[in-house]
PDB file of all heavy atoms in Angstrom:
ATOM      1  N   ALA A  26      50.795-225.286  13.163  1.00  0.00           N
ATOM      2  CA  ALA A  26      51.392-226.623  13.037  1.00  0.00           C
ATOM      3  C   ALA A  26      50.353-227.666  12.654  1.00  0.00           C
ATOM      4  O   ALA A  26      50.584-228.519  11.776  1.00  0.00           O
ATOM      5  CB  ALA A  26      52.075-227.002  14.346  1.00  0.00           C
ATOM      6  N   LEU A  27      49.193-227.622  13.301  1.00  0.00           N
ATOM      7  CA  LEU A  27      48.157-228.628  13.031  1.00  0.00           C
ATOM      8  C   LEU A  27      47.566-228.482  11.630  1.00  0.00           C
ATOM      9  O   LEU A  27      47.143-229.472  11.019  1.00  0.00           O
ATOM     10  CB  LEU A  27      47.046-228.512  14.072  1.00  0.00           C
ATOM     11  CG  LEU A  27      47.445-228.865  15.525  1.00  0.00           C
ATOM     12  CD1 LEU A  27      46.297-228.588  16.476  1.00  0.00           C
ATOM     13  CD2 LEU A  27      47.890-230.319  15.625  1.00  0.00           C
ATOM     14  N   GLU A  28      47.550-227.260  11.120  1.00  0.00           N
ATOM     15  CA  GLU A  28      46.907-227.022   9.820  1.00  0.00           C
ATOM     16  C   GLU A  28      47.874-227.128   8.645  1.00  0.00           C
ATOM     17  O   GLU A  28      47.477-227.531   7.553  1.00  0.00           O
ATOM     18  CB  GLU A  28      46.265-225.625   9.824  1.00  0.00           C
ATOM     19  CG  GLU A  28      45.095-225.494  10.793  1.00  0.00           C
ATOM     20  CD  GLU A  28      44.686-224.047  11.007  1.00  0.00           C
ATOM     21  OE1 GLU A  28      45.257-223.163  10.314  1.00  0.00           O
ATOM     22  OE2 GLU A  28      43.829-223.789  11.865  1.00  0.00           O
ATOM     23  N   ARG A  29      49.169-226.789   8.855  1.00  0.00           N
ATOM     24  CA  ARG A  29      50.074-226.668   7.715  1.00  0.00           C
ATOM     25  C   ARG A  29      51.149-227.754   7.636  1.00  0.00           C
ATOM     26  O   ARG A  29      51.727-227.968   6.575  1.00  0.00           O
ATOM     27  CB  ARG A  29      50.748-225.293   7.732  1.00  0.00           C
ATOM     28  CG  ARG A  29      49.788-224.135   7.582  1.00  0.00           C
ATOM     29  CD  ARG A  29      50.538-222.880   7.208  1.00  0.00           C
ATOM     30  NE  ARG A  29      49.671-221.727   7.153  1.00  0.00           N
ATOM     31  CZ  ARG A  29      50.069-220.507   6.784  1.00  0.00           C
ATOM     32  NH1 ARG A  29      51.331-220.314   6.434  1.00  0.00           N
ATOM     33  NH2 ARG A  29      49.224-219.498   6.765  1.00  0.00           N
ATOM     34  N   ASP A  30      51.449-228.391   8.757  1.00  0.00           N
ATOM     35  CA  ASP A  30      52.465-229.437   8.688  1.00  0.00           C
ATOM     36  C   ASP A  30      51.948-230.605   7.853  1.00  0.00           C
ATOM     37  O   ASP A  30      50.805-231.048   8.024  1.00  0.00           O
ATOM     38  CB  ASP A  30      52.839-229.908  10.094  1.00  0.00           C
ATOM     39  CG  ASP A  30      53.865-231.026  10.057  1.00  0.00           C
ATOM     40  OD1 ASP A  30      54.998-230.771   9.592  1.00  0.00           O
ATOM     41  OD2 ASP A  30      53.523-232.144  10.464  1.00  0.00           O
ATOM     42  N   LEU A  31      52.785-231.099   6.964  1.00  0.00           N
ATOM     43  CA  LEU A  31      52.361-232.146   6.033  1.00  0.00           C
ATOM     44  C   LEU A  31      51.942-233.422   6.750  1.00  0.00           C
ATOM     45  O   LEU A  31      51.076-234.162   6.267  1.00  0.00           O
ATOM     46  CB  LEU A  31      53.496-232.454   5.050  1.00  0.00           C
ATOM     47  CG  LEU A  31      53.853-231.330   4.072  1.00  0.00           C
ATOM     48  CD1 LEU A  31      55.034-231.724   3.207  1.00  0.00           C
ATOM     49  CD2 LEU A  31      52.641-230.972   3.212  1.00  0.00           C
ATOM     50  N   VAL A  32      52.546-233.699   7.898  1.00  0.00           N
ATOM     51  CA  VAL A  32      52.226-234.924   8.638  1.00  0.00           C
ATOM     52  C   VAL A  32      50.987-234.723   9.498  1.00  0.00           C
ATOM     53  O   VAL A  32      50.015-235.493   9.437  1.00  0.00           O
ATOM     54  CB  VAL A  32      53.425-235.361   9.515  1.00  0.00           C
ATOM     55  CG1 VAL A  32      53.057-236.591  10.353  1.00  0.00           C
ATOM     56  CG2 VAL A  32      54.646-235.641   8.652  1.00  0.00           C
ATOM     57  N   LEU A  33      50.993-233.678  10.330  1.00  0.00           N
ATOM     58  CA  LEU A  33      49.890-233.472  11.279  1.00  0.00           C
ATOM     59  C   LEU A  33      48.592-233.098  10.576  1.00  0.00           C
ATOM     60  O   LEU A  33      47.501-233.444  11.061  1.00  0.00           O
ATOM     61  CB  LEU A  33      50.280-232.388  12.295  1.00  0.00           C
ATOM     62  CG  LEU A  33      51.472-232.698  13.199  1.00  0.00           C
ATOM     63  CD1 LEU A  33      51.661-231.589  14.222  1.00  0.00           C
ATOM     64  CD2 LEU A  33      51.300-234.042  13.916  1.00  0.00           C
ATOM     65  N   SER A  34      48.691-232.381   9.469  1.00  0.00           N
ATOM     66  CA  SER A  34      47.467-231.961   8.771  1.00  0.00           C
ATOM     67  C   SER A  34      46.712-233.141   8.171  1.00  0.00           C
ATOM     68  O   SER A  34      45.512-233.035   7.865  1.00  0.00           O
ATOM     69  CB  SER A  34      47.808-230.949   7.681  1.00  0.00           C
ATOM     70  OG  SER A  34      48.665-231.529   6.712  1.00  0.00           O
ATOM     71  N   GLU A  35      47.389-234.283   8.012  1.00  0.00           N
ATOM     72  CA  GLU A  35      46.735-235.490   7.485  1.00  0.00           C
ATOM     73  C   GLU A  35      45.947-236.229   8.552  1.00  0.00           C
ATOM     74  O   GLU A  35      45.168-237.125   8.244  1.00  0.00           O
ATOM     75  CB  GLU A  35      47.792-236.429   6.883  1.00  0.00           C
ATOM     76  CG  GLU A  35      48.479-235.888   5.642  1.00  0.00           C
ATOM     77  CD  GLU A  35      47.505-235.731   4.486  1.00  0.00           C
ATOM     78  OE1 GLU A  35      46.672-236.642   4.294  1.00  0.00           O
ATOM     79  OE2 GLU A  35      47.561-234.696   3.796  1.00  0.00           O
ATOM     80  N   ARG A  36      46.188-235.851   9.804  1.00  0.00           N
ATOM     81  CA  ARG A  36      45.495-236.535  10.910  1.00  0.00           C
ATOM     82  C   ARG A  36      44.353-235.676  11.436  1.00  0.00           C
ATOM     83  O   ARG A  36      44.317-234.451  11.238  1.00  0.00           O
ATOM     84  CB  ARG A  36      46.489-236.832  12.040  1.00  0.00           C
ATOM     85  CG  ARG A  36      47.592-237.790  11.641  1.00  0.00           C
ATOM     86  CD  ARG A  36      48.550-238.040  12.783  1.00  0.00           C
ATOM     87  NE  ARG A  36      47.867-238.562  13.974  1.00  0.00           N
ATOM     88  CZ  ARG A  36      48.490-238.800  15.139  1.00  0.00           C
ATOM     89  NH1 ARG A  36      49.793-238.579  15.242  1.00  0.00           N
ATOM     90  NH2 ARG A  36      47.806-239.273  16.147  1.00  0.00           N
ATOM     91  N   ASN A  37      43.445-236.304  12.145  1.00  0.00           N
ATOM     92  CA  ASN A  37      42.308-235.602  12.750  1.00  0.00           C
ATOM     93  C   ASN A  37      42.655-235.302  14.210  1.00  0.00           C
ATOM     94  O   ASN A  37      42.351-236.089  15.112  1.00  0.00           O
ATOM     95  CB  ASN A  37      41.049-236.465  12.640  1.00  0.00           C
ATOM     96  CG  ASN A  37      39.819-235.753  13.170  1.00  0.00           C
ATOM     97  OD1 ASN A  37      39.857-234.560  13.478  1.00  0.00           O
ATOM     98  ND2 ASN A  37      38.716-236.487  13.279  1.00  0.00           N
ATOM     99  N   ILE A  38      43.319-234.166  14.432  1.00  0.00           N
ATOM    100  CA  ILE A  38      43.790-233.797  15.768  1.00  0.00           C
ATOM    101  C   ILE A  38      43.088-232.517  16.205  1.00  0.00           C
ATOM    102  O   ILE A  38      43.066-231.520  15.471  1.00  0.00           O
ATOM    103  CB  ILE A  38      45.315-233.573  15.785  1.00  0.00           C
ATOM    104  CG1 ILE A  38      46.054-234.835  15.337  1.00  0.00           C
ATOM    105  CG2 ILE A  38      45.777-233.152  17.179  1.00  0.00           C
ATOM    106  CD1 ILE A  38      47.550-234.643  15.170  1.00  0.00           C
ATOM    107  N   THR A  39      42.502-232.553  17.389  1.00  0.00           N
ATOM    108  CA  THR A  39      41.878-231.357  17.958  1.00  0.00           C
ATOM    109  C   THR A  39      42.456-231.093  19.341  1.00  0.00           C
ATOM    110  O   THR A  39      42.883-232.022  20.044  1.00  0.00           O
ATOM    111  CB  THR A  39      40.350-231.519  18.067  1.00  0.00           C
ATOM    112  OG1 THR A  39      40.063-232.687  18.861  1.00  0.00           O
ATOM    113  CG2 THR A  39      39.716-231.661  16.697  1.00  0.00           C
ATOM    114  N   VAL A  40      42.465-229.839  19.703  1.00  0.00           N
ATOM    115  CA  VAL A  40      42.969-229.445  21.021  1.00  0.00           C
ATOM    116  C   VAL A  40      41.789-229.042  21.880  1.00  0.00           C
ATOM    117  O   VAL A  40      41.092-228.059  21.599  1.00  0.00           O
ATOM    118  CB  VAL A  40      43.976-228.275  20.909  1.00  0.00           C
ATOM    119  CG1 VAL A  40      44.564-227.972  22.288  1.00  0.00           C
ATOM    120  CG2 VAL A  40      45.085-228.600  19.918  1.00  0.00           C
ATOM    121  N   LYS A  41      41.558-229.815  22.933  1.00  0.00           N
ATOM    122  CA  LYS A  41      40.441-229.525  23.831  1.00  0.00           C
ATOM    123  C   LYS A  41      40.867-228.601  24.963  1.00  0.00           C
ATOM    124  O   LYS A  41      40.096-227.721  25.389  1.00  0.00           O
ATOM    125  CB  LYS A  41      39.895-230.838  24.399  1.00  0.00           C
ATOM    126  CG  LYS A  41      38.678-230.660  25.308  1.00  0.00           C
ATOM    127  CD  LYS A  41      38.170-232.003  25.818  1.00  0.00           C
ATOM    128  CE  LYS A  41      36.971-231.816  26.733  1.00  0.00           C
ATOM    129  NZ  LYS A  41      36.469-233.120  27.258  1.00  0.00           N
ATOM    130  N   GLU A  42      42.098-228.789  25.463  1.00  0.00           N
ATOM    131  CA  GLU A  42      42.605-227.976  26.581  1.00  0.00           C
ATOM    132  C   GLU A  42      44.027-227.501  26.255  1.00  0.00           C
ATOM    133  O   GLU A  42      44.837-228.260  25.726  1.00  0.00           O
ATOM    134  CB  GLU A  42      42.599-228.785  27.881  1.00  0.00           C
ATOM    135  CG  GLU A  42      41.193-229.185  28.320  1.00  0.00           C
ATOM    136  CD  GLU A  42      41.209-230.208  29.457  1.00  0.00           C
ATOM    137  OE1 GLU A  42      42.131-231.048  29.478  1.00  0.00           O
ATOM    138  OE2 GLU A  42      40.305-230.149  30.303  1.00  0.00           O
ATOM    139  N   TYR A  43      44.284-226.246  26.603  1.00  0.00           N
ATOM    140  CA  TYR A  43      45.550-225.619  26.212  1.00  0.00           C
ATOM    141  C   TYR A  43      46.504-225.371  27.385  1.00  0.00           C
ATOM    142  O   TYR A  43      47.691-225.104  27.180  1.00  0.00           O
ATOM    143  CB  TYR A  43      45.274-224.270  25.542  1.00  0.00           C
ATOM    144  CG  TYR A  43      44.534-224.370  24.235  1.00  0.00           C
ATOM    145  CD1 TYR A  43      43.138-224.322  24.192  1.00  0.00           C
ATOM    146  CD2 TYR A  43      45.220-224.503  23.037  1.00  0.00           C
ATOM    147  CE1 TYR A  43      42.454-224.404  22.991  1.00  0.00           C
ATOM    148  CE2 TYR A  43      44.546-224.586  21.825  1.00  0.00           C
ATOM    149  CZ  TYR A  43      43.167-224.537  21.809  1.00  0.00           C
ATOM    150  OH  TYR A  43      42.504-224.614  20.618  1.00  0.00           O
ATOM    151  N   GLU A  44      46.000-225.419  28.606  1.00  0.00           N
ATOM    152  CA  GLU A  44      46.792-224.968  29.754  1.00  0.00           C
ATOM    153  C   GLU A  44      48.132-225.702  29.875  1.00  0.00           C
ATOM    154  O   GLU A  44      49.179-225.082  30.057  1.00  0.00           O
ATOM    155  CB  GLU A  44      45.998-225.126  31.052  1.00  0.00           C
ATOM    156  CG  GLU A  44      46.771-224.632  32.277  1.00  0.00           C
ATOM    157  CD  GLU A  44      46.018-224.869  33.577  1.00  0.00           C
ATOM    158  OE1 GLU A  44      44.801-225.169  33.536  1.00  0.00           O
ATOM    159  OE2 GLU A  44      46.659-224.755  34.637  1.00  0.00           O
ATOM    160  N   ALA A  45      48.116-227.010  29.788  1.00  0.00           N
ATOM    161  CA  ALA A  45      49.348-227.784  29.972  1.00  0.00           C
ATOM    162  C   ALA A  45      50.352-227.492  28.858  1.00  0.00           C
ATOM    163  O   ALA A  45      51.552-227.334  29.115  1.00  0.00           O
ATOM    164  CB  ALA A  45      49.036-229.277  30.021  1.00  0.00           C
ATOM    165  N   LEU A  46      49.870-227.411  27.630  1.00  0.00           N
ATOM    166  CA  LEU A  46      50.774-227.105  26.515  1.00  0.00           C
ATOM    167  C   LEU A  46      51.460-225.762  26.709  1.00  0.00           C
ATOM    168  O   LEU A  46      52.670-225.630  26.516  1.00  0.00           O
ATOM    169  CB  LEU A  46      49.988-227.091  25.198  1.00  0.00           C
ATOM    170  CG  LEU A  46      49.707-228.445  24.535  1.00  0.00           C
ATOM    171  CD1 LEU A  46      48.675-228.280  23.418  1.00  0.00           C
ATOM    172  CD2 LEU A  46      50.988-229.056  23.990  1.00  0.00           C
ATOM    173  N   LEU A  47      50.685-224.765  27.119  1.00  0.00           N
ATOM    174  CA  LEU A  47      51.250-223.434  27.308  1.00  0.00           C
ATOM    175  C   LEU A  47      52.185-223.401  28.508  1.00  0.00           C
ATOM    176  O   LEU A  47      53.249-222.764  28.473  1.00  0.00           O
ATOM    177  CB  LEU A  47      50.121-222.412  27.488  1.00  0.00           C
ATOM    178  CG  LEU A  47      49.188-222.226  26.279  1.00  0.00           C
ATOM    179  CD1 LEU A  47      48.056-221.272  26.623  1.00  0.00           C
ATOM    180  CD2 LEU A  47      49.963-221.720  25.076  1.00  0.00           C
ATOM    181  N   ARG A  48      51.797-224.102  29.567  1.00  0.00           N
ATOM    182  CA  ARG A  48      52.615-224.090  30.783  1.00  0.00           C
ATOM    183  C   ARG A  48      53.942-224.791  30.559  1.00  0.00           C
ATOM    184  O   ARG A  48      55.010-224.298  30.945  1.00  0.00           O
ATOM    185  CB  ARG A  48      51.854-224.757  31.922  1.00  0.00           C
ATOM    186  CG  ARG A  48      52.656-224.852  33.220  1.00  0.00           C
ATOM    187  CD  ARG A  48      51.782-225.312  34.374  1.00  0.00           C
ATOM    188  NE  ARG A  48      52.614-225.539  35.551  1.00  0.00           N
ATOM    189  CZ  ARG A  48      52.808-226.720  36.099  1.00  0.00           C
ATOM    190  NH1 ARG A  48      52.253-227.795  35.581  1.00  0.00           N
ATOM    191  NH2 ARG A  48      53.569-226.852  37.167  1.00  0.00           N
ATOM    192  N   PHE A  49      53.912-225.937  29.922  1.00  0.00           N
ATOM    193  CA  PHE A  49      55.139-226.694  29.699  1.00  0.00           C
ATOM    194  C   PHE A  49      56.074-225.993  28.715  1.00  0.00           C
ATOM    195  O   PHE A  49      57.280-226.117  28.801  1.00  0.00           O
ATOM    196  CB  PHE A  49      54.826-228.104  29.191  1.00  0.00           C
ATOM    197  CG  PHE A  49      54.502-229.086  30.266  1.00  0.00           C
ATOM    198  CD1 PHE A  49      53.280-229.058  30.914  1.00  0.00           C
ATOM    199  CD2 PHE A  49      55.411-230.050  30.648  1.00  0.00           C
ATOM    200  CE1 PHE A  49      52.969-229.963  31.912  1.00  0.00           C
ATOM    201  CE2 PHE A  49      55.112-230.968  31.647  1.00  0.00           C
ATOM    202  CZ  PHE A  49      53.888-230.922  32.282  1.00  0.00           C
TER     203      PHE A  49
END
């Protein structure tokens, strides 16, 4: 999603922690 989505790929977004995303 971060690399291929036309909207998100235009932004500088990094994921530092994954636990909450995976848990939710």
